[in-house]
Amino acid sequence: MKILILGIGNILFGDEGIGPHLANLIDEKYEFESNEHSVDILDGGTLAQRLIPIITDYDNVLLIDCVSAIDGEIGDVFSFDFNDVPEFIQWNGSAHEVEMLQTLQMIEMLGDLPPTKIVGVVPYVIGENSTFTMTPEVLKAGLTMENAIIKYIKDFGVKTSIKREITLAEVAPNTYLKGAS
């Protein structure tokens, strides 16, 4: 089985970049080992519809992104299946998210959407000024999100090990060097 961990977001807008930053953290920090499954990690940036052929090539997808939640606070983390989005979750907290939601809906209409889980955090929404810096609340939430991602991978029976101790705050300043694929 092919498993994709896909980080979505715009790194120019602070917390909005949590998806790409966390995808890069998982890639730099962990090794995955399985005779049955493969795990790929991708910084999807803001590519949206251009990710369709990539997403449909996998058997399971874990999407890392920002979400909005009714009564949610900055740094609140939510984990849910795309086919069972809680009513209090609104996927419109930033500029790119509607495109990603539409992308997943388009794939679903074509019958090609693999089982998709979302791990999302409520961001501080940036106005007109851009920044690479994330809020302390979202940096802290990154630990909860990281644990949810590793649990997701382990639930498939994939052995995980740490190859390098590194933090989200250390990875984030270099995410722009890797860029979206």
Side-chain angles (χ1 to χ4, degrees):
M1 176 183 307
K2 293 175 63 176
I3 303 166
L4 175 64
I5 299 172
L6 178 60
I8 299 296
N10 187 333
I11 62 171
L12 294 174
F13 293 121
D15 291 346
E16 161 84 17
I18 186 71
H21 297 314
L22 199 48
N24 286 322
L25 173 76
I26 299 296
D27 187 41
E28 290 189 30
K29 185 173 180 178
Y30 292 96
E31 285 183 331
F32 302 108
E33 185 178 327
S34 172
N35 292 328
E36 299 176 57
H37 310 298
S38 64
V39 178
D40 292 325
I41 303 164
L42 179 65
D43 167 358
T46 57
L47 295 177
Q49 284 89 6
R50 287 187 279 170
L51 295 170
I52 290 173
I54 295 170
I55 292 170
T56 58
D57 193 41
Y58 284 86
D59 301 303
N60 279 279
V61 174
L62 176 72
L63 198 110
I64 311 164
D65 202 353
C66 294
V67 295
S68 294
I70 297 172
D71 297 327
E73 300 286 333
I74 296 169
D76 286 350
V77 174
F78 299 94
S79 182
F80 52 90
D81 292 326
F82 176 75
N83 289 328
D84 193 22
V85 178
E87 290 183 20
F88 61 89
I89 295 290
Q90 300 171 336
W91 213 346
N92 59 356
S94 68
H96 81 276
E97 290 163 352
V98 172
E99 286 185 24
M100 194 64 223
L101 175 61
Q102 291 169 339
T103 298
L104 294 177
Q105 290 170 333
M106 287 174 16
I107 299 171
E108 184 178 42
M109 285 188 325
L110 297 171
D112 292 333
L113 185 66
T116 301
K117 187 171 189 86
I118 292 102
V119 175
V121 64
V122 176
Y124 173 76
V125 177
I126 305 288
E128 54 192 50
N129 297 324
S130 61
T131 180
F132 288 113
T133 304
M134 290 184 285
T135 61
E137 294 90 344
V138 170
L139 282 171
K140 183 178 176 187
L143 294 172
T144 302
M145 297 171 81
E146 178 182 340
N147 290 334
I149 293 163
I150 297 306
K151 181 184 180 319
Y152 174 81
I153 298 301
K154 285 182 174 179
D155 285 348
F156 287 101
V158 175
K159 182 180 174 188
T160 65
S161 59
I162 294 175
K163 62 181 176 185
R164 178 178 173 217
E165 287 291 349
I166 190 166
T167 66
L168 187 58
E170 294 170 322
V171 170
N174 297 314
T175 295
Y176 78 95
L177 296 172
K178 294 186 171 192
S181 301

